[in-house]
Structure formats: C-alpha cells, structure tokens
Amino acid sequence: MSAVAVSDSAGLDPARTAAVLALLRAAAAADGVRPLSEEAELRLQHGGPPGGRDVVATEPDGPLTGYARLELGDGTGDAEAELVVAPTARERGVGGALLTRLEELADGRPLRVWAHGDLPAATALAGARGYTRARVLLQMRRPLTDADLDAAAPLPPDVSVAAFRPGRDEAAWLRLNARAFAAHPEQGAWTPEDLRLREAEPWFDPAGFLLAWRGDPDAGGALLGAHWTKVHPPGDAGPDAVGEVYVLGIDPDAQGLGLGRALTVRGLAHLRGRGLDEVLLYTEEDNTAAVTLYERTGFTRYAVDVSWRRVP
C-alpha cells in the first residue's frame, strides 16, 4: 500500500477542479455509473452553501488519486458526503483515507456517504467501518420505442402544455417545485441559484422542459405541473445517449387530473424525437406506490445508489 496524502479546502483552483473532473470521467468509464451526483459535481465546479468542503487524495509525487465532497450544512443533523477513487489507485487505501478525513471533518456528527451503483468495494468499505444502509435510490429505465408513446394522454379542457421560457417562467416553476416536493428535503428546497446553474449547463434544453398551465401564463394563469427532461451524452449514463425524467412534479391541488401521465408521455415522446432509444429516472426504493406506477408504465430496475450512515 502506497502512502496517501489527504487535504481539504473550501473550493479548488481551476487546475485541480479539471483534474477531479477527469478522474470522474475515468471512474464512470470503468464502473459504468456516475461516481458523484449532479449536485456534487455542480458544487465542485461552482461552490455551494456554507459548510461545503472539497477533499482530495494524492500520492506523494502529486497525482490525484481520489476526491470527496462533504456538506456540513448549518452544523445540525447529519453531515453528507460522496467520494470516488481513481480506477488506477484502487486497493491502495485511498477510499479508507478519504473516509477517515470525512469522519474527522464531521466532528462527531452522524455521517451519510452515498455509494453510486452500490459497487462491491463501496459495500465492503462501509461495512468494515460500521456504516448501515440508510437510504436506497433506484435508477429505473425503459425503452423509448414502444407504441404507447404514439397516443398522447388527454389533458383537461382548460389546460395546455408549453415549453419553459428562460427569464420568464423561473418563479412559477420554483413555486410549483416547492409545493410538489414539500416532503422532499433536497428537491423541494431548490433556490433560484440552483435553477440558474442548471440553465447554464450544456445539456439544458427548454424545449424539453414542459409546463402544464391552466389559463394564460402571462395573465394570471396557474402552473399545475411540469416535466423537465434531460439528455445524458454518450459516456455519461452509458455508452449511448440516454434521456431522463429529470423532474416531474404536480401541484398538490392538481392531483387527480391525469397530468402526471399526460406530461410523462409528452416528455418521453420529446426524448424519442431527439433520436434516443432509452430513458431513465430515479425514485426512492421505499416509495412503493411510485415504483409500482413506474413499473406499470414500462420501467424496470436498472441500478441502485445507497446512502450509508454511521453514528459515531
């Protein structure tokens, strides 16, 4: 086992950030799964709320061998982290060294660490350090070649669907998102900055961000639901480009109108029109109602992300 040097900071310089991004691409190619969440990658590149730390592992002569992103938040509740080890540096104690530093930075608080793909090495490390499975996120997929996308699900007579308009629809969508995901601690708390960062990403396409309005959006209309789709380029979620049901939300007051299915079908049809053959989505494993619904609409389980938790 070679020596591992670990350091942390509240932000990385551009050269080190580029090196981490290259490491992430190498890990994704080796493992077939993105090693960090989109949120962690955005915070690596643009920073995040106070309390965030970037932790890097290097060999004595300088090459980067691992990276972790830690969120300490306001100092209450669990600290949360994600980590990745370079494929060429595995089985050298890098993961253990990163995890030790994360535990030190958590300073006695419970720590949750995401393992994307539920890979055997991550399971072994977490189990050896006394972590238990606290949360499981399913990735589900379905083909976009089925005939059921040819017939659009009907909309209520007073509802119409239009593409998102950058610079005009942000406030309405953020309000909808907060209401639709009020019980979701991550999604429901999105801020204007969270939305702005994603609008600036290369993958952002307002034509695939579908909004269901009752009335005129510019004359007091109400936003009842939205289906925001995403396209992953080749190498991101697999060897080929893959679509995603990125955010699908319905206002609580609009439940029961069939908007979920209507927006889902229109979003999937949009992705198929982009020439894609497959679409993915994420859902909590213990949300049995959602899992059952997705399975009935052709989705099957594809991969698992696990949040491991340890109480000191």
Side-chain angles (χ1 to χ4, degrees):
M1 181 186 301
S2 60
V4 179
V6 177
S7 61
D8 62 272
S9 61
L12 302 177
D13 62 46
R16 182 49 60 89
T17 298
V20 173
L21 292 173
L23 186 157
L24 299 183
R25 291 192 294 270
D31 300 328
V33 62
R34 289 182 61 170
L36 296 184
S37 66
E38 177 190 73
E39 187 66 33
E41 285 195 34
L42 287 172
R43 292 182 178 184
L44 160 67
Q45 298 177 75
H46 305 289
R53 305 293 293 178
D54 295 293
V55 185
V56 296
T58 59
E59 293 183 343
D61 54 353
L64 184 70
T65 56
Y67 170 79
R69 175 72 191 183
L70 175 68
E71 302 296 341
L72 294 170
D74 62 2
T76 63
D78 293 1
E80 297 199 13
E82 304 177 42
L83 67 85
V84 55
V85 177
T88 56
R90 293 175 180 175
E91 299 184 8
R92 300 184 193 172
V94 176
L98 284 170
L99 190 56
T100 295
R101 184 56 184 151
L102 292 171
E103 292 168 353
E104 291 170 351
L105 291 170
D107 194 24
R109 291 165 55 191
L111 176 64
R112 293 176 181 256
V113 182
W114 277 102
H116 298 282
D118 197 18
L119 301 174
T123 300
L125 176 60
R129 299 287 282 265
Y131 286 76
T132 58
R133 293 165 77 99
R135 183 178 169 194
V136 179
L137 194 65
L138 294 180
Q139 183 190 135
M140 304 181 74
R141 297 196 180 197
R142 64 156 284 171
L144 288 170
T145 53
D146 295 350
D148 62 337
L149 298 183
D150 295 329
L155 289 165
D158 59 344
V159 175
S160 60
V161 174
F164 180 87
R165 300 169 300 173
R168 299 176 70 179
D169 293 333
E170 282 83 355
W173 182 82
L174 285 167
R175 178 180 182 275
L176 168 72
N177 185 67
R179 286 174 56 79
F181 296 97
H184 196 294
E186 297 155 353
Q187 183 65 41
W190 273 29
T191 66
E193 177 66 7
D194 293 323
L195 180 54
R196 185 196 67 78
L197 286 175
R198 286 158 177 82
E199 288 185 72
E201 286 291 288
W203 59 263
F204 179 73
D205 176 16
F209 193 164
L210 306 179
L211 307 183
W213 294 94
R214 173 177 285 149
D216 186 342
D218 295 321
L223 183 60
L224 303 184
H227 182 187
W228 186 354
T229 67
K230 177 179 180 178
V231 176
H232 294 267
D236 190 31
D240 301 316
V242 179
E244 180 179 351
V245 177
Y246 186 59
V247 185
L248 176 63
I250 307 299
D251 189 281
D253 291 342
Q255 297 288 345
L257 299 179
L259 291 178
R261 172 161 176 75
L263 284 168
T264 297
V265 170
R266 284 165 173 79
L268 298 185
H270 167 80
L271 292 171
R272 186 170 69 173
R274 293 283 305 272
L276 302 175
D277 295 327
E278 192 174 36
V279 61
L280 65 86
L281 59 77
Y282 291 92
T283 187
E284 302 284 347
E285 184 183 52
D286 61 2
N287 188 344
T288 55
V291 172
T292 300
L293 173 63
Y294 292 136
E295 289 177 337
R296 287 175 178 171
T297 53
F299 285 89
T300 57
R301 302 180 188 216
Y302 181 84
V304 172
D305 294 343
V306 178
S307 177
W308 294 91
R309 184 174 189 260
R310 174 178 175 268
V311 179

